[in-house]
Amino acid sequence: MQKIQMKTPLVEMDGDEMTRILWAMIKEYLIEPFVELKSEYYDLGLPNREKTSDQVTVDSANATKKYGVAVKCATITPNAQRVEEYNLSKMWKSPNATIRAILDGTVFRAPIIVDGINPYIPTWKKPITIARHAYGDIYKAVEMQVPAGKAELVFTDKDGNERRETIHEFKAPGILQGMHNTDESIESFARSCFNFALDSKQDLWFSAKDTISKQYDHRFKDIFAEIYENEYKAKFEEAGITYFYTLIDDAVARVIRSEGGFVWACKNYDGDVMSDMLATAFGSLAMMTSVLVAPDGTCEFEAAHGTVTRHYYRHLKGEVTTTNPIATIFAWTGALNKRGQLDNIPELCDFAARLEKATLDTVNEGTMPGDLALLYKGSAEVKATPCAEFMKLIAAKL
Ligand code: NAP
Ligand code: MG
């Protein structure tokens, strides 16, 4: 069989632990026998981040900006315990945060739906994609615990003029938080969401709490509305999709009653919380894909889950695990399909679609990773299948 040829390299970001093992298997069994893989490889595994003082992460993000498409393996975000385990010179930042800061992107997470794995919400028939604004709010807040006294919000403009607002007169100890966002970041977020909705031909919902937060959340609502009117309204009408703003609590109620099939744009904290709820409600965190989309269309694809540490320790002890590679396979298909679209290689897009179908067909026949076997309610007889065996069965269908 002739292998599919690529034109532009795909930026490949390798990672850690169990997902690093899956990564090598996916390439060996599912990609390299079929595609003459052209990739620019960056090893974001923690030992190499330590060795390069994390320069490799910055380099991989810059390469993504240059070429336009990346695929990323899950990586460890070090904490104190990891600093000891890996003998690190520093608690390196989360690679995802570094990459996001350089690409200025929005993260879209969508579940992979399989027959037999039923969402907890019976009305959900189609995926719900969640878009999380990944800048500011409480994630960049400053906080204080204070004794009795007066708390004020003070802003000094560049000419030295001050604006003050009393937050609270504390009669007894309490707590304070100051947070911010920027018009520029909200505008990028809005454009990424409108573009993603157009690309995927799905309605876009945006929710905030503008009735309570009349300056802060209202600014989000206004920026979305302005950009929609000026830049996207005509395109949305032509595509037959709609943009719709509603309060966050109303959105939650509507999401539960919906049948899915739309993009839900959320502020940073709402997106953090709601994405975990949606992942669980659709069945499994291991079936969530994640793509970072920059305002200029640059994309980085990955699985939403982490490095599956507990399985890795079992793997190191020589046990055979049935870890779920599906979201990581779909990160590869997402990236190959996007590369095929940009470089006009229909065979590559077709291969990505066939690999997705072969993966889901294999599950439908009853051979599946262990976590899905526990959830499966379909008619096939179920077998929890080790990773390599599962991938060989998929490859046999290609
Ligand atoms: P995790 O790796 O997502 O795993 C949490 C648990 O979820 C696992 O122990 C496993 O449950 C289940 N699970 C997740 N993915 C699975 C899969 N593909 N197949 C089967 N089961 C799966 O999260 P974590 O344990 O909190 O974090 C581990 C490391 O990943 C951390 O160092 C963290 O920094 C990193 N992380 C990276 C990313 C990223 O790169 N995007 C995201 C999140 C976390 P059972 O053990 O019960 O089987
Ligand atoms: Mg979270």
Side-chain angles (χ1 to χ4, degrees), residues 309-322:
T309 310
R310 295 207 312 172
H311 293 219
Y312 182 58
Y313 291 152
R314 298 213 308 264
H315 168 84
L316 288 182
K317 279 196 246 151
E319 276 179 50
V320 173
T321 72
T322 60

Side-chain angles (χ1 to χ4, degrees), residues 167-183:
I167 298 170
H168 191 64
E169 305 257 8
F170 285 92
K171 306 222 166 18
I175 43 180
L176 274 171
Q177 183 181 66
M179 60 183 194
H180 81 283
N181 223 301
T182 67
D183 284 5

